[in-house]
Amino acid sequence: MLNYLKLELEKKCMQNPKKGTGIIIGTNVDIGKDVSIWNYVVIGDGTKIGDGTLIGSFVDLGKNVTLGKNCNIQSHVTISNGCILGENVFIAPNSSLLNDKYPKSSFMTPPIIKDNAAIGGGVTILPGVTVGEKAVVGGGSVVAKNVAPRTVVAGCPAKVVMTLEQFEAKREAFLTQHKVK
């Protein structure tokens, strides 16, 4: 009987899902339409996943995490309890969003990632940081301070390296040079 109830709950939570194997879903999880979840993902209690979001393999979503619509969370990403991601957020592999400035404490200050932000691979975002709308965080960065909207940061610690407009021009030139459409 318990397996039947679990199956009915999954049908209610996920419409048109694509699910891999080894997925652990906590209680009171809200999964939107057309969400894809790859293998060996842990989703904590009270987490909300927006429509059209893609979650790669070996991702750990803590409790009470919010992922907006159409996010792309690549493999081996850790998103700690209480983190909030807006819509269309991209997080490359092996990145971590941390929520506890002085471990182990009961006072969490999870990062907030605004709409259309992009986070490169191997990035660590420290507790209490807000990454602004359309901001880009370069791979391997450690983000200790807020990132303004439409800016590009990189390094350890992450610092502003260019504007979004400069980044887009460099990206376009690179793609044109390599004939990528």
Side-chain angles (χ1 to χ4, degrees):
M1 182 68 170
L2 186 58
N3 286 339
Y4 173 77
L5 291 175
K6 183 177 178 187
L7 186 61
E8 287 302 308
L9 180 62
E10 284 182 0
K11 284 181 188 174
K12 182 179 176 185
C13 291
M14 297 179 71
Q15 298 176 358
N16 305 319
K18 294 176 183 152
K19 284 176 47 178
T21 60
I23 298 169
I24 299 171
I25 300 175
T27 60
N28 299 316
V29 171
D30 183 9
I31 300 174
K33 295 178 185 176
D34 301 317
V35 170
S36 294
I37 303 171
W38 288 81
N39 301 316
Y40 308 108
V41 172
V42 176
I43 302 171
D45 298 342
T47 291
K48 293 176 178 34
I49 302 171
D51 297 347
T53 290
L54 170 72
I55 300 171
S57 295
F58 303 103
V59 168
D60 183 0
L61 300 175
K63 295 178 182 177
N64 302 310
V65 168
T66 300
L67 303 180
K69 293 179 182 177
N70 301 310
C71 290
N72 184 339
I73 311 303
Q74 303 264 294
S75 64
H76 298 278
V77 169
T78 298
I79 301 176
S80 298
N81 295 352
C83 291
I84 299 171
L85 279 65
E87 295 184 358
N88 305 304
V89 170
F90 174 83
I91 302 180
N94 301 309
S95 294
S96 297
L97 280 65
L98 307 177
N99 66 358
D100 194 353
K101 189 169 184 169
Y102 299 102
K104 177 178 182 185
S105 71
S106 59
F107 181 69
M108 303 295 148
T109 55
I112 298 171
I113 313 300
K114 299 287 187 167
D115 294 349
N116 301 299
I119 298 170
V123 168
T124 300
I125 299 184
L126 297 179
V129 168
T130 297
V131 175
E133 188 170 343
K134 294 187 178 180
V136 177
V137 178
S141 298
V142 176
V143 184
K145 296 182 180 178
N146 291 346
V147 178
R150 303 182 65 82
T151 59
V152 180
V153 299
C156 181
K159 295 181 180 175
V160 175
V161 294
M162 67 183 84
T163 66
L164 181 62
E165 290 74 19
Q166 292 168 322
F167 171 82
E168 288 173 343
K170 285 186 174 191
R171 181 180 182 278
E172 190 61 36
F174 175 83
L175 295 175
T176 299
Q177 178 184 355
H178 297 301
K179 298 179 174 61
V180 178
K181 294 182 182 187

